[in-house]
Amino acid sequence: MERFATFSTPQTIHYGRGAFREVGKETESRGSKALIISDQIMNDLGYVSECRDVLQKENIESTVYLGVKSEPTDQYVAEALEIFQKEQCNVVISLGGGSCIDTAKAIAVVATNGGYIGEYMGGKKIAEKKPIPHIAIPTTAGTGSEATDATVINNTSNDVKMMIKQPSFMPDVAIIDPLLTVSSPKSVTAATGVDALSHAIEAYISRKKQPMTDMLALSAMEKIVGNLKPAYEDGNNMDAREEMAVGALQAGMAFTNASVCLVHGMSRPIGALFHVPHGFSNAMLLPAVLEFSKEACIERLADLGRLFNKDANSLSNEEAAEMAVSSVKKLCLDLNIPNLKGFGIDENKFEQAISKMADDALNSGSPQNNPRVPSKKEIEELYRVCYSYDFSSEKSIYS
Ligand SMILES: NC(=O)c1ccc[n+]([C@@H]2O[C@H](COP(=O)([O-])OP(=O)(O)OC[C@H]3O[C@@H](n4cnc5c(N)ncnc54)[C@H](O)[C@@H]3O)[C@@H](O)[C@H]2O)c1
Ligand SMILES: [Fe+2]
């Protein structure tokens, strides 16, 4: 740890079955007219009208933006901001997956600090004015975005997924209700669950880890390792859904304070250029990147291996770390995660993009937090390995 560490969270976190209804009281104390950032699927599921009904009981007016159709772009931010201003709203509620939450984070900051959202990347523009109050309600388990001070927005002019991190992007309130995740289809449960696992693992092995994040990352890994497959196999398994929701929240709290590493650094460019859902692109990279990083974080990966298999207590750290990698591979296989080739990405197009993706990964700063810091050439090689990575093989990429 550096000389001292800083740990940030939302002011208030409500979590557990039925927590959703807390949105009324929390909004009432922060504003009188809410803009709800959501999407058509949430609307069709009845979540948006349920939210508006709860708000109405507290005499809060609301208006809705349902334009989030995929992972967020600067265009969604501009559209929703226009509604926010035209309707004279004074509080933002996000209701959906990470895409809705990240869009709302951008609106909350830009509404008071102005400018183009991309200007906030890399601290070129600092949000000095207090943002609009933001209440985040995730429906996936998940990005953990409800408890992070980062937003990831696609720049539509250069196909870069902009990772923007400043304290002002932290939501004021997070409401995590596992009942909202039950409607998640299998592929969303798998992708978002591996995203949460990647957050927990990356926070645990990050060069910026600290005691507060270790505690959360370990608990998150344990919950996700034990409950992702059961939640995937039976979406109505409420106990598994609840553990996943809390695990994803803990993973978010861990990585926002410890940073993510190489998996996320390499994953964002794949999402931006080939439109692979964020959780899938992480999963496609995770086992190979763990193999690459293993020697630099043997003890930490051994802890993960022992969570997958309680009988691994008698194994050496080297063997338990090996077990972590093989167990993550097996989990990806059980969740039917395709590799990049299996997802349908053209090999020539992928090869042509590798140099830009490696540059974009390094420019994001995340690979530099990895226990083994890669060169550009090593990142390019890893992209090639992951293109046709075999999750069913017991062989290491280095054997
Ligand atoms: N800000 C952060 O800290 C952070 C961290 C990780 C990821 N992200 C970002 O989050 C985005 C991905 O978010 P996500 O993985 O939650 O997916 P998502 O928000 O893109 O949602 C994926 C799909 O699942 C649907 N869906 C969501 N919840 C559902 C439910 N309960 N029932 C039925 N359908 C549901 C959505 O409508 C959408 O079609 C990416 O842009 C990623 O970069 C941000
Ligand atoms: Fe992520």
Side-chain angles (χ1 to χ4, degrees):
M1 195 168 88
E2 302 279 325
R3 226 158 29 90
F4 68 87
T6 303
F7 186 84
S8 311
T9 65
Q11 287 161 14
T12 308
I13 300 175
H14 299 282
Y15 62 107
R17 299 176 207 190
F20 186 26
R21 303 195 78 77
E22 296 303 304
V23 66
K25 274 194 266 141
E26 290 293 358
T27 311
E28 194 268 334
S29 62
R30 288 175 168 80
S32 53
K33 184 157 185 189
L35 174 63
I36 302 172
I37 306 290
S38 196
D39 69 22
Q40 198 54 52
I41 293 177
M42 299 300 110
N43 196 48
D44 295 347
L45 285 164
Y47 296 166
V48 174
S49 58
E50 197 179 334
C51 183
R52 296 187 82 177
D53 288 349
V54 176
L55 294 176
Q56 206 171 26
K57 290 206 177 89
E58 302 287 342
N59 296 317
I60 301 156
E61 281 184 71
S62 62
T63 186
V64 179
Y65 174 74
L66 296 178
V68 181
K69 288 179 212 73
S70 56
E71 298 195 349
T73 66
D74 45 11
Q75 285 170 0
Y76 300 167
V77 175
E79 281 170 19
L81 191 62
E82 201 181 316
I83 298 174
F84 181 88
Q85 285 161 342
K86 199 168 119 227
E87 297 284 332
Q88 299 186 319
C89 299
N90 48 23
V91 54
V92 179
I93 297 171
S94 50
L95 177 58
S99 297
C100 295
I101 299 175
D102 281 9
T103 306
K105 284 177 169 179
I107 290 152
V109 167
V110 177
T112 55
N113 286 274
Y116 166 65
I117 181 62
E119 293 170 37
Y120 295 83
M121 189 179 165
K124 285 189 289 291
K125 182 174 167 72
I126 303 287
E128 275 161 1
K129 294 193 189 131
K130 207 170 171 324
I132 298 293
H134 174 196
I135 297 160
I137 312 173
T139 59
T140 57
T143 65
S145 178
E146 67 277 9
T148 77
D149 63 1
T151 181
V152 186
I153 306 287
N154 273 23
N155 181 334
T156 45
S157 63
N158 62 4
D159 280 337
V160 169
K161 262 188 118 170
M162 302 182 288
M163 218 290 280
I164 306 165
K165 188 168 160 58
Q166 288 187 27
S168 296
F169 289 97
M170 179 69 81
D172 296 80
V173 180
I175 299 179
I176 298 92
D177 190 334
L179 292 170
L180 297 174
T181 67
V182 173
S183 52
S184 267
K186 267 184 184 297
S187 67
V188 173
T189 301
T192 56
V194 182
D195 186 27
L197 180 62
S198 310
H199 295 154
I201 298 175
E202 294 214 283
Y204 196 59
I205 63 175
S206 167
R207 286 171 176 259
K208 295 190 181 150
K209 61 188 179 292
Q210 41 149 309
M212 291 290 286
T213 59
D214 281 351
M215 170 184 83
L216 288 160
L218 258 178
S219 173
M221 289 193 299
E222 185 168 19
K223 287 184 189 304
I224 297 164
V225 161
N227 292 283
L228 176 49
K229 202 171 151 218
Y232 174 76
E233 284 173 349
D234 174 11
N236 291 314
N237 179 338
M238 255 335 282
D239 290 340
R241 289 288 196 188
E242 182 151 36
E243 290 290 286
M244 281 303 300
V246 178
L249 165 69
Q250 290 176 328
M253 292 169 78
F255 92 77
T256 198
N257 291 288
S259 293
V260 280
C261 310
L262 183 54
V263 173
H264 273 76
M266 289 179 63
S267 168
R268 290 184 214 104
I270 297 177
L273 288 177
F274 298 102
H275 307 290
V276 179
H278 176 70
F280 272 166
S281 55
N282 284 338
M284 291 161 174
L285 300 165
L286 183 60
V289 171
L290 290 182
E291 286 193 57
F292 171 82
S293 312
K294 196 181 81 189
E295 291 308 320
C297 53
I298 287 273
E299 285 178 20
R300 295 258 152 176
L301 284 189
D303 291 341
L304 174 62
R306 293 184 182 111
L307 291 176
F308 272 106
N309 186 346
K310 303 272 189 282
D311 297 335
N313 282 334
S314 57
L315 298 181
S316 68
N317 281 346
E318 177 77 41
E319 288 165 330
E322 198 60 60
M323 179 169 281
V325 177
S326 57
S327 303
V328 168
K329 266 195 212 179
K330 170 82 172 48
L331 181 62
C332 290
L333 201 62
D334 290 343
L335 299 175
N336 294 306
I337 307 273
N339 59 22
L340 289 149
K341 187 178 181 179
F343 190 80
I345 296 173
D346 179 78
E347 190 162 8
N348 287 333
K349 284 198 184 128
F350 190 72
E351 183 57 41
Q352 280 161 19
I354 280 181
S355 176
K356 173 183 161 48
M357 291 197 296
D359 282 333
D360 290 349
L362 283 167
N363 288 340
S364 75
S366 302
Q368 290 79 348
N369 303 323
N370 208 55
R372 176 175 170 195
V373 179
S375 64
K376 181 177 175 192
K377 196 162 169 285
E378 285 169 328
I379 294 183
E380 290 179 340
E381 271 315 303
L382 276 169
Y383 275 128
R384 289 192 185 96
V385 165
C386 291
Y387 181 76
S388 48
Y389 191 84
D390 183 358
F391 293 106
S392 67
S393 166
E394 285 177 14
K395 279 209 308 215
S396 151
I397 54 174
Y398 298 107
S399 58

